[in-house]
Amino acid sequence: MTTLAQAVGQTLADSGIRHAFGVVGGGNILATAALTAAGVRYTAARHEGGAMAMADAYFRATGDVAVCTTTHGPGITNTVTALADAAKNRSGAVLLCGDAPVSGPRPHDIDQSALLAALGVRVVRLTEPRTARADTAAAVRTAREERCPVAVFLPGDLVNHALPDTPGTVAQAAAGTTDAVAEPDLEPLLDALAGARRPLLLAGLGAWHSGAGKILRELGDRLGALFTTTVMAGGLFRDSPWSLGVCGGFAAPAAADLMGEADVVVAFGASLDTFTLHGGRILDPAATVVQVDVDGHKRAQRADLVVRGDAHAVAVRLLDAVEERGLPAPDWRVRCADRAARARAGWADLAHEDASTADRIDPRTLTRALATLLPEERTLVLDGGHFIAWPGMYWPVSDPAGFVFTGAAFQSIGLGLAGAVGTAVGRPDRLTVAAVGDGGALMGLPELDTLVRSGRPALVVVYDDAAYGFEEHMYAPQGADPATLSFADTDFATVARGLGATAVTVRRPDDLDAVRRWRTAGCPGTLVLDCKVVPGVIAPFLADLLERT
């Protein structure tokens, strides 16, 4: 006979789960033991929220579903911020945790199903031992195919319940689905493209997930279009000479100018939120904007036309239809070739007036200097905060899997160090580079210990301005109390060394020699750069926002 906990652990392994992150307690410790016994690798986090962020980042970097496992009650409430971010980002993950007994809640229990329903997370509560294996396997399939977190709850009084030892066969479905698109759905889009003189193709994370990169490049070349991506899909068109890079506040001025001249913009798998559109400033108000999305009901406010369907499927049909109609390609590429080349160079070719002081470094100077020291094949992990502009502007990524922006979907901070663990474990072939602010670093500090313990090479860059920089720049002019925004300086280098990392304090470019030495030595373990940055340098995206307030 097999216990429920053992059956669930083995089923998860049989369903293709290769890694789990978690914090054990009475509600999940036996199921976690079953996971490891079945061959699933396990990383012990220091906080349940960190464990959830690790599983989320693992999916974003690898495309594979991982498990986050916690105990009941406070174990699951501690995951809420990271779980909400995973749900809004549409990350596939399985949350395996304890739950109240089927016989009735204990005094310390809460309604966990209601809590997760508020986050938009599906729940599978294993109250029927006979179907536990099938229900668990179905949860993994849902997480994988629909790219969403799914919670599997283990009632406390059934964990040791005996099940017949008949595991059966677990079928693993391939990830991703495509929707057929009826020809009439494309007619308005074809009409718009027929009159386009300056077409622009914009790809989001949905295009990456559907594998549409290659067909979108073919479509853009046929249409004579320029390319851009959302921040999350950065690098998708990296090899094209007609790529303008990221659309939105991180776009270099030359790229933003060309985006603003487009007269027809076709967005594949992008929500067209305020960040992608830079508050509505990035595109010409007169441009026709077409949104291609699997959920045709989630129409963006800026979209003039909506085509429902998978990005790859729509692009294939659209390319065929363009050929059938014989649509001419406008000469925009010919007319803007020189400008497109300057746009492709990005921020790296734009000089700035160095605002470094005797004891603090200009964040632009810091980030540009680090760009020459980082390997091309890397995974960039961002926490949230004002500092995000600098790596977003100066550190391009090779593909969307090389960029994990934690907290962006839920507008939170503090998940970056945990995210670095998930990417370092999931993609050991790429160096993990985590960029965090001092506020987020202190929120997520326990997971620096986890990152060090993982033994994986990782570079952590702390942009330390001793303040909540975004709020300071945005709200201090509106009357916010400065005492609520700034703090005494934190010696992150000493703290990091106490946790077992190598660490240096960076106040000038010469201090970055530590990165050269670390890379020459083969990138042993975790290197933390405590970068004391000038607080008064405002990122371009925020400067634009300040102009409008």
Side-chain angles (χ1 to χ4, degrees), residues 420 424 428 430-433 451 454-459 518 522-527:
R430 290 179 167 180
L431 176 66
T432 289
V433 179
L451 183 60
S454 76
R456 305 290 190 183
L459 176 65
W518 180 70
C523 303
T526 301
L527 173 62

Side-chain angles (χ1 to χ4, degrees), residues 130-209:
R130 291 178 305 168
T131 62
R133 291 186 177 93
D135 293 342
T136 301
V140 177
R141 286 196 299 272
T142 298
R144 181 175 289 129
E145 294 173 8
E146 300 187 27
R147 296 188 175 93
C148 62
V150 179
V152 176
F153 287 173
L154 301 171
D157 53 355
L158 295 183
V159 170
N160 284 313
H161 186 91
L163 277 68
D165 195 10
T166 54
T169 302
V170 177
Q172 295 184 44
T177 59
T178 58
D179 293 336
V181 182
E183 191 67 29
D185 293 337
L186 298 181
E187 289 302 317
L189 172 52
L190 288 165
D191 290 342
L193 290 173
R197 298 182 64 245
R198 297 176 299 279
L200 178 69
L201 300 191
L202 191 163
L205 203 57
W208 164 251
H209 284 159

Side-chain angles (χ1 to χ4, degrees), residues 415-485:
L415 304 179
L417 291 173
V421 177
T423 61
V425 168
R427 290 299 302 265
D429 56 315
R430 290 179 167 180
L431 176 66
T432 289
V433 179
V436 299
D438 53 297
L442 286 170
M443 281 189 185
L445 188 60
E447 304 314 342
L448 179 57
D449 170 77
T450 310
L451 183 60
V452 172
R453 282 188 289 107
S454 76
R456 305 290 190 183
L459 176 65
V460 177
V461 183
V462 183
Y463 285 80
D464 184 5
D465 62 357
Y468 289 125
F470 183 95
E471 288 73 15
E472 184 171 52
H473 296 310
M474 188 75 181
Y475 297 108
Q478 301 179 42
D481 182 354
T484 66
L485 304 172

Side-chain angles (χ1 to χ4, degrees), residues 111-462:
D111 188 343
Q112 297 182 170
S113 296
L115 173 66
L116 266 58
L119 305 178
V121 175
R122 304 184 196 186
V123 172
V124 176
R125 194 163 185 257
L126 302 181
T127 57
E128 177 50 69
R130 291 178 305 168
T131 62
R133 291 186 177 93
D135 293 342
T136 301
V140 177
R141 286 196 299 272
T142 298
R144 181 175 289 129
E145 294 173 8
E146 300 187 27
R147 296 188 175 93
C148 62
V150 179
V152 176
F153 287 173
L154 301 171
D157 53 355
L158 295 183
V159 170
N160 284 313
H161 186 91
L163 277 68
D165 195 10
T166 54
T169 302
V170 177
Q172 295 184 44
T177 59
T178 58
D179 293 336
V181 182
E183 191 67 29
D185 293 337
L186 298 181
E187 289 302 317
L189 172 52
L190 288 165
D191 290 342
L193 290 173
R197 298 182 64 245
R198 297 176 299 279
L200 178 69
L201 300 191
L202 191 163
L205 203 57
W208 164 251
H209 284 159
S210 72
K214 183 176 183 295
I215 187 65
L216 286 178
R217 286 192 292 273
E218 293 177 6
L219 176 63
D221 289 342
R222 172 62 181 80
L223 293 171
L226 302 184
F227 300 108
T228 185
T229 71
T230 64
V231 170
M232 297 297 198
L236 189 62
F237 301 125
R238 181 188 182 202
D239 295 334
S240 172
W242 304 106
S243 172
L244 302 179
V246 170
C247 185
F250 296 167
D257 287 345
L258 284 169
M259 294 174 198
E261 294 177 12
D263 58 357
V264 175
V265 181
V266 187
F268 290 84
S271 62
L272 296 176
D273 60 23
T274 186
F275 301 101
T276 296
L277 300 182
H278 195 33
R281 299 183 63 169
I282 198 73
L283 300 180
D284 183 348
T288 298
V289 178
V290 184
Q291 184 181 22
V292 178
D293 196 88
V294 290
D295 191 344
H297 300 292
K298 291 185 177 179
R299 180 175 187 148
Q301 184 176 0
R302 184 64 178 83
D304 301 297
L305 300 171
V306 175
V307 175
R308 181 181 180 276
D310 170 81
H312 185 275
V314 172
V316 169
R317 293 293 301 275
L318 184 58
L319 181 57
D320 288 343
V322 167
E323 295 289 2
E324 290 170 6
R325 274 202 180 190
L327 293 187
D331 63 350
W332 193 25
R333 287 184 174 183
V334 175
R335 290 183 283 112
C336 73
D338 291 341
R339 295 172 62 201
R342 289 194 298 273
R344 184 168 171 77
W347 292 97
D349 277 8
L350 299 179
H352 67 274
E353 185 176 347
D354 195 339
S356 299
T357 64
D359 62 347
R360 288 194 173 271
I361 189 170
D362 186 314
R364 297 165 296 185
T365 303
L366 165 71
T367 313
R368 292 178 69 156
L370 274 170
T372 66
L373 302 175
L374 302 178
E376 187 171 344
E377 289 298 317
R378 58 180 179 261
T379 304
L380 174 59
V381 180
L382 289 189
D383 205 329
H386 171 245
F387 76 91
I388 60 173
W390 313 124
M393 290 160 56
Y394 294 110
W395 296 346
V397 295
S398 57
D399 56 51
F403 182 72
V404 176
F405 191 172
T406 67
F410 193 45
Q411 293 296 283
S412 65
I413 69 172
L415 304 179
L417 291 173
V421 177
T423 61
V425 168
R427 290 299 302 265
D429 56 315
R430 290 179 167 180
L431 176 66
T432 289
V433 179
V436 299
D438 53 297
L442 286 170
M443 281 189 185
L445 188 60
E447 304 314 342
L448 179 57
D449 170 77
T450 310
L451 183 60
V452 172
R453 282 188 289 107
S454 76
R456 305 290 190 183
L459 176 65
V460 177
V461 183
V462 183

